[in-house]
Amino acid sequence: MRPSPAAATRTLALLAVVAAVGLLPWLSGRDPALTVLRARSAEQEPTREALAAIRRDLGLDAGPLALLGSWAADLAHGDLGTSWVSGTDVLPSVATGLQVSLALMGAALGVALLLAVALVVPVLLRGRASAGAGAAMLAAVPEFLLATVGLLVCGVWLGWLPTSGWQGPRHLVLPAVALGVPAGGLLGRLVADALPAVLDERWAQLWRGAGVSGARVSAAALRRVLPPLLPQFGMAAVGLTGGAVAVETVFAVPGIGRTALGAAKSQDLPLLQGSVLALLLLGLLTGALAALARRRLLGPALRDASLTLPPARPARTHPAIPLARAAVLGTTIGWGLLRDPYAVDTAARLTPPSWAHPLGADGLGRDVLARLGHGAATTVGTAAAVCLLSLVLSLALGFLPGVAAGAADIANALPPVIVGILVAAAAGPGTGGAALAVALISWPPLAAHAAALVQEVRASSFLTAQRAIGATPWWILTRHVLPSVAAPVARHALLRLPGIALALASLGFLGLGAQPPAPEWGLLLDESRAYVERAPWAALAPAVALALLAGLAVSGAAYTQGRGRARTTKKENPVDPAAPVDPAAPVDAAAPVDPAAPLAPDGVRAPAPRP
């Protein structure tokens, strides 16, 4: 049996990642023997004899390909090798770090699900969605800022919880909350956006007309909504494991992400290879479990009906909301651009907000407002460029879904921080490397969206008629398929802009992105972490800017979509727009049930209404 294109690309992508990790010291252009010598003993002089001894000890004289082949041969026997720095076996270190990260992931996922439920319940009670800006702003709060604030408030000031280490359940609380709040905002927003369209489907109206309880309708609607979203839940779980490096760093948690970061900085190749391989396998396993859960949740009836989730219909937002957010963000950035972000005033160190420094000053006496304004070009501009690159790539791969699916599995299994570690180790830290790292893994959701739209448009009767009258494939592609696909995927990409900016900020916080004295927002958060207790305004300014950016993107998209939907409805159904419509109105009892009505979430036809 020939392997499918998805399986072939999945295998090739996996081999490419493992090979890139194995060749990392040589790709970086730095002598791995020198890096290992400094990691083992910083005081020892890097003499020719000492470096030669390390090369012989590690087998570096044989070359990168021989070293990679030896590692692969040992891997086939379950041996991940020996650490170049500590001299201990890699497998126990990787297993211990993975165990810690899985425990942290479980606790954080519990926090995320509780917050998601809190965001979804009001939608079930009202039957309509909000604009989702609040959930998006929660999702845009940097985990490392939440970790730092929680450490100060609950750990230092109040003394309720431990501030570092990993010794028991109490050490789980603060890291889990810091990771779970943004993830819960994202998951809650996904479910809340999809519910109103499902609650307006024919089966839900028939159930309500038949007197079915609201609790049962809500449970059925959730079962209808969750299957298409389960892959997103799997991606969130993977992100809570490998993407928790910043939180693990703040709380000194010995997880797998922090282990990989330390191995990359010291070029401890065997430990880095084992950590990345463990994260890859975890991501692939999580994706497979999410797909299995989706099939089990759907059941045979819904699978046979090929039921798909209707498009989300966010509530129309008043134009004043996105305009107010844009005005605040634009005014702040514009005001900051008029000031010098590099001017140092030692007398103004850590001064609170004043007329001279509207947002205060940082630890060197530099104006926070100026650094925030000038950092917008680096953070938001780079995020916009990455977003545009992901859009173009996803539109191209949307026409090759079989080929792109396997590579997407590998890209989804790698959190941005891990890819940033690999890119920074090869090319050095910087804005370009951070942008490349985020771009490498930000395209799969957009490509999946584009592939679904391409399949839908190609199957439309309109294109069948175009082919019948002799339209060329190029004409159909450029005049019909691309215009129909590009607009919704572009709106989707716009909604992912805050997440991309947050990923870039996370890399900057870990020292893998822009380097000092650049005024990048993630770097500003990292620089202010040491004195956040004395001068919290230096950390709050970029954090609030990231949250405002997320709220602006979501509310702006909701206003645009709501306005377009209102125009379409008015054109197709010219009724009095002021007439109220009750979506829960009972169905006419005399009307027979359509045998072609959509299946209800339990796999049976919708019940007939009560007479």
Side-chain angles (χ1 to χ4, degrees):
M1 180 183 295
R2 293 182 58 188
S4 64
T9 53
R10 185 183 298 111
T11 303
L12 290 176
L14 181 60
L15 292 176
V17 172
V18 174
V21 175
L23 300 176
L24 200 56
W26 291 269
L27 293 175
S28 64
R30 292 175 289 176
D31 186 0
L34 177 61
T35 306
V36 172
L37 176 65
R38 289 175 176 172
R40 288 180 176 179
S41 176
E43 293 81 10
Q44 186 175 354
E45 290 292 331
T47 62
R48 182 178 302 177
E49 293 78 9
L51 295 177
I54 288 181
R55 292 191 185 96
R56 287 193 303 270
D57 181 38
L58 303 180
L60 296 175
D61 294 334
L65 295 180
L67 197 64
L68 183 61
S70 175
W71 179 80
D74 293 338
L75 180 64
H77 297 88
D79 184 10
L80 293 179
T82 304
S83 170
W84 286 359
V85 176
S86 65
T88 59
D89 289 339
V90 168
L91 184 58
S93 300
V94 171
T96 301
L98 189 59
Q99 183 180 3
V100 170
S101 292
L102 287 176
L104 180 57
M105 179 196 75
L109 196 58
V111 173
L113 292 178
L114 288 176
L115 180 58
V117 169
L119 294 173
V120 169
V121 167
V123 178
L124 289 173
L125 295 178
R126 295 195 308 261
R128 57 185 177 85
S130 64
M137 293 176 74
L138 281 178
V141 176
E143 295 96 336
F144 43 85
L145 180 63
L146 284 177
T148 304
V149 172
L151 184 148
L152 286 174
V153 175
C154 298
V156 177
W157 294 346
L158 301 177
W160 291 345
L161 295 166
T163 58
S164 64
W166 189 261
Q167 299 175 2
R170 296 180 71 245
H171 290 77
L172 267 174
V173 178
L174 289 179
V177 171
L179 286 171
V181 168
L186 173 63
L187 297 179
R189 176 186 155 209
L190 289 174
V191 178
D193 283 351
L195 271 175
V198 170
L199 292 172
D200 284 345
E201 287 183 330
R202 179 175 172 79
W203 70 265
Q205 297 178 5
L206 290 173
W207 278 33
R208 286 192 290 262
V212 178
S213 66
R216 187 180 174 190
V217 173
S218 298
L222 285 174
R223 184 178 179 182
R224 170 78 170 85
V225 163
L226 286 178
L229 299 180
L230 279 177
Q232 300 292 331
F233 280 69
M235 291 172 60
V238 174
L240 290 175
T241 306
V245 185
V247 175
E248 291 176 357
T249 301
V250 172
F251 291 103
V253 175
I256 189 68
R258 186 163 172 254
T259 300
L261 178 62
K265 289 183 176 180
S266 63
Q267 284 205 350
D268 190 350
L269 185 58
L271 184 57
L272 179 60
Q273 285 175 315
S275 301
V276 172
L277 184 62
L279 287 170
L280 272 173
L281 295 179
L282 176 64
L284 293 175
L285 178 62
T286 304
L289 290 176
L292 178 62
R294 179 179 182 274
R295 291 182 60 84
R296 295 284 297 178
L297 194 59
L298 280 173
L302 294 186
R303 287 200 301 271
D304 294 341
S306 299
L307 196 60
T308 58
L309 190 65
R313 297 185 302 176
R316 183 178 177 182
T317 303
H318 194 279
I321 296 177
L323 286 177
R325 292 187 174 120
V328 172
L329 195 59
T331 301
T332 304
I333 292 173
W335 193 4
L337 289 174
L338 301 177
R339 308 166 76 92
D340 187 357
Y342 301 107
V344 175
D345 183 5
T346 56
R349 291 181 65 252
L350 303 181
T351 56
S354 62
W355 179 252
H357 301 284
L359 294 181
D362 65 7
L364 296 178
R366 297 172 298 189
D367 187 68
V368 173
L369 177 61
R371 295 183 64 75
L372 182 71
H374 286 267
T378 303
T379 306
V380 183
T382 304
V386 172
C387 192
L388 180 60
L389 178 62
S390 301
L391 173 62
V392 173
L393 184 61
S394 64
L395 290 176
L397 293 177
F399 291 88
L400 302 169
V403 176
D409 291 340
I410 302 299
N412 285 331
L414 285 171
V417 172
I418 300 302
V419 182
I421 290 172
L422 300 180
V423 173
T431 304
L436 176 61
V438 177
L440 287 174
I441 60 169
S442 60
W443 59 268
L446 299 178
H449 189 185
L453 291 176
V454 167
Q455 183 181 14
E456 179 181 336
V457 173
R458 280 177 168 173
S460 64
S461 58
F462 175 74
L463 290 191
T464 303
Q466 288 287 312
R467 297 187 191 99
I469 63 176
T472 63
W474 179 253
W475 173 274
I476 293 176
L477 173 66
T478 57
R479 297 302 180 94
H480 299 292
V481 179
L482 273 180
S484 300
V485 173
V489 177
R491 288 194 295 268
H492 185 181
L494 178 63
L495 292 176
R496 291 192 171 270
L497 179 63
I500 292 174
L502 182 59
L504 292 171
S506 299
L507 295 178
F509 176 81
L510 292 170
L512 303 174
Q515 298 298 295
E520 195 266 339
W521 289 358
L523 188 58
L524 296 184
L525 287 165
D526 182 35
E527 292 173 343
S528 61
R529 182 162 58 101
Y531 47 82
V532 68
E533 183 178 2
R534 295 175 54 195
W537 45 84
L540 288 176
V544 172
L546 284 169
L548 279 176
L549 179 64
L552 174 61
V554 173
S555 58
Y559 171 71
T560 304
Q561 293 178 5
R563 186 177 180 184
R565 187 168 64 250
R567 284 200 301 263
T568 303
T569 304
K570 186 175 181 180
K571 180 185 294 186
E572 295 177 353
N573 188 22
V575 297
D576 182 10
V581 178
D582 183 8
V587 182
D588 182 9
V593 176
D594 184 2
L599 292 172
D602 57 358
V604 298
R605 299 290 174 189
R610 290 180 180 177

